[in-house]
Amino acid sequence: MRKIDMIVIHCTATRADCPLSPAELTKMHRKRGFKCCGYHYYVRTDGEICTMRPVERVGAHARGYNEHSIGIAYEGGLDAQGRPADTRTELQKRSLRILVRVLKADFPAITQVVGHRDLSPDLNGDGVVEPEEWCKACPCFDVKRGL
């Protein structure tokens, strides 16, 4: 088993009012050249937690961090106008909290739970990745405060 010390939270960057099935998500990732979905888990708007890739396998979700992390994505992340927004339903929020809690219990070496945007480079070197430094808005909420 690989060493896992981080969970990275993502969104699918799809409109919350447009459902995205696990099969469609996998198809999107295959079009990008991945063998299967790059995330380990996918949380649907109804709170369903879907296993997408075995945790034993390295993910394809956060370049430079995949070897030692688990990737979780939630369905949505864009509002009706296609702008980044925290579109998580209450059921998604609940499922994300439960999933993270279970994974931390199963993998005690996990010391960090971050959003994809939190892995952006600290361009000004002040030790904080600020909104103007984000490479992308994903997961469209502050993971440290929103889980």
Side-chain angles (χ1 to χ4, degrees):
M1 181 60 168
R2 62 195 182 96
K3 181 178 187 267
I4 297 169
D5 63 7
M6 176 185 284
I7 296 172
V8 183
I9 308 293
H10 303 263
C11 64
T12 57
T14 54
R15 286 179 32 176
D17 59 347
C18 297
L20 181 69
S21 72
E24 291 168 318
L25 178 59
T26 297
K27 187 176 178 181
M28 285 171 52
H29 281 217
R30 283 193 175 140
K31 280 185 179 178
R32 294 178 57 200
F34 303 142
K35 292 181 180 181
C36 63
C37 182
Y39 306 121
H40 295 94
Y41 297 96
Y42 180 42
V43 181
R44 305 291 311 273
T45 56
D46 64 0
E48 177 188 10
I49 299 170
C50 305
T51 301
M52 303 301 289
R53 177 187 285 242
V55 172
E56 296 79 24
R57 289 185 48 206
V58 173
H61 58 91
R63 183 174 285 142
Y65 297 89
N66 291 321
E67 292 286 333
H68 61 94
S69 68
I70 294 173
I72 303 172
Y74 74 90
E75 182 177 12
L78 300 180
D79 65 18
Q81 289 73 43
R83 293 182 304 242
D86 182 359
T87 62
R88 293 174 301 149
T89 64
E90 290 305 315
L91 291 170
Q92 280 177 306
K93 291 176 185 180
R94 182 177 184 275
S95 291
L96 278 166
R97 281 192 304 271
I98 291 168
L99 180 55
V100 166
R101 190 177 319 128
V102 168
L103 290 171
K104 287 176 82 174
D106 288 350
F107 299 94
I110 293 174
T111 58
Q112 292 185 63
V113 180
V114 300
H116 192 185
R117 70 187 188 190
D118 300 320
L119 301 176
S120 300
D122 178 15
L123 298 175
N124 64 9
D126 69 353
V128 179
V129 177
E130 295 143 330
E132 59 272 8
E133 297 173 311
W134 295 339
C135 294
K136 51 176 67 180
C138 175
C140 304
F141 74 96
D142 183 349
V143 169
K144 294 195 187 328
R145 296 195 331 204
L147 272 185

